[in-house]
Amino acid sequence: FPVTIDVTDFLIRNLESDLELAKEAARISQGHIGKARALVKDKSLRDLRKRLFEILLDVTTEAKAIFAASRIINLAEEGAMAKFSEELDKEVQEVKSIYEGASKGLISGGSKAMKELERDQKLKISRAIKDELDGYLLDIMSFLRDCQLIDGPHINEDLSDQIKYFQSKTKEKDISKLLSVVSNCRARLSTNASQALVLENLLLSFP
């Protein structure tokens, strides 16, 4: 993966990341600097990714698939808030600084401005959650592509045990079918389809 070399160098040079973390972030992000930077700077995002695959590979029954879909949506909400919580708080404080009166209450127009901000922030978080879920599906696709390669090289080297486990119980033709299912799920999640139902259908497709 030649492109990851440049990203690794960037992370070491600009974020003072250690070599192994920089290499892992560059590899997992597949050369996407924004994602690689976020993985290096925020350990919670790296932990979210690990939890995603723990949830994915624990699905063995229909009941677990339904529960897993809910947990993945919760992960996406957590990931979205981790990225935007500071920005959202800053926006609230900016509105308060403009409309706050001497008694700490809002002056005329303040309530309307705050309601408009709340509406805009809900839309922003909704989009961020959808983006998080799409990112998870891309991670799952990269994992499945790794599972198609018996000897590597693998993008998700840190998941080598999970890759071997999945390879041992899944036929190559079924992995190809799963990639198509995940791709279809990405398309459906870009619409207003129920996120829970889309993810449940996906997870029920896993062996």
Side-chain angles (χ1 to χ4, degrees):
F1 310 108
V3 70
T4 64
I5 297 174
D6 293 335
V7 177
T8 299
D9 290 342
F10 171 86
L11 296 172
I12 293 171
R13 190 170 61 252
N14 292 275
L15 300 182
E16 298 182 352
S17 169
D18 67 73
L19 177 61
E20 289 308 310
L21 177 56
K23 286 170 64 177
E24 180 177 301
R27 191 178 62 249
I28 292 170
S29 69
Q30 300 180 61
H32 188 292
I33 287 186
K35 183 174 182 178
R37 182 199 290 268
L39 286 168
V40 166
K41 293 179 67 176
D42 194 341
K43 183 179 181 297
S44 69
L45 296 180
R46 302 197 297 274
D47 292 340
L48 281 177
R49 176 176 168 275
K50 291 179 181 178
R51 286 159 59 192
L52 169 67
F53 285 102
E54 287 172 2
I55 294 169
L56 180 70
L57 297 175
D58 188 48
V59 174
T60 54
T61 65
E62 182 176 348
K64 281 191 172 184
I66 294 171
F67 182 52
S70 175
R71 291 178 68 194
I72 290 173
I73 291 172
N74 289 339
L75 281 186
E77 292 171 348
E78 188 178 332
M81 289 307 299
K83 291 177 180 176
F84 287 99
S85 59
E86 287 187 15
E87 180 181 331
L88 299 180
D89 289 342
K90 184 179 178 181
E91 289 174 350
V92 170
Q93 293 306 316
E94 286 175 351
V95 170
K96 284 184 176 181
S97 69
I98 295 171
Y99 290 99
E100 199 168 62
S103 62
K104 299 298 181 181
L106 296 177
I107 62 175
S108 177
S111 294
K112 181 181 178 182
M114 192 62 75
K115 286 180 181 179
E116 289 177 350
L117 176 62
E118 289 174 358
R119 181 198 63 207
D120 291 344
Q121 289 188 338
K122 284 181 181 178
L123 288 173
K124 183 181 292 185
I125 289 299
S126 178
R127 287 194 296 269
I129 290 170
K130 189 175 285 189
D131 288 343
E132 283 290 305
L133 289 173
D134 188 62
Y136 295 166
L137 293 181
L138 287 173
D139 286 341
I140 291 171
M141 291 181 79
S142 75
F143 173 81
L144 291 173
R145 290 192 183 101
D146 281 346
C147 291
Q148 290 180 311
L149 302 173
I150 301 301
D151 299 319
H154 295 142
I155 290 171
N156 302 282
E157 287 181 7
D158 58 312
L159 299 174
S160 58
D161 289 342
Q162 292 90 331
I163 290 170
K164 290 175 183 176
Y165 166 74
F166 199 80
Q167 287 173 331
S168 70
K169 69 169 190 169
T170 314
K171 295 179 180 178
E172 201 282 332
K173 66 176 183 179
D174 292 329
I175 296 176
S176 296
K177 289 179 182 178
L178 281 172
L179 279 165
S180 296
V181 172
V182 179
S183 180
N184 182 55
C185 285
R186 288 188 67 205
R188 292 183 63 197
L189 281 177
S190 68
T191 68
N192 291 323
S194 166
Q195 294 173 347
L197 287 177
V198 171
L199 291 175
E200 285 170 18
N201 289 333
L202 167 64
L203 295 168
L204 287 169
S205 301
F206 273 72

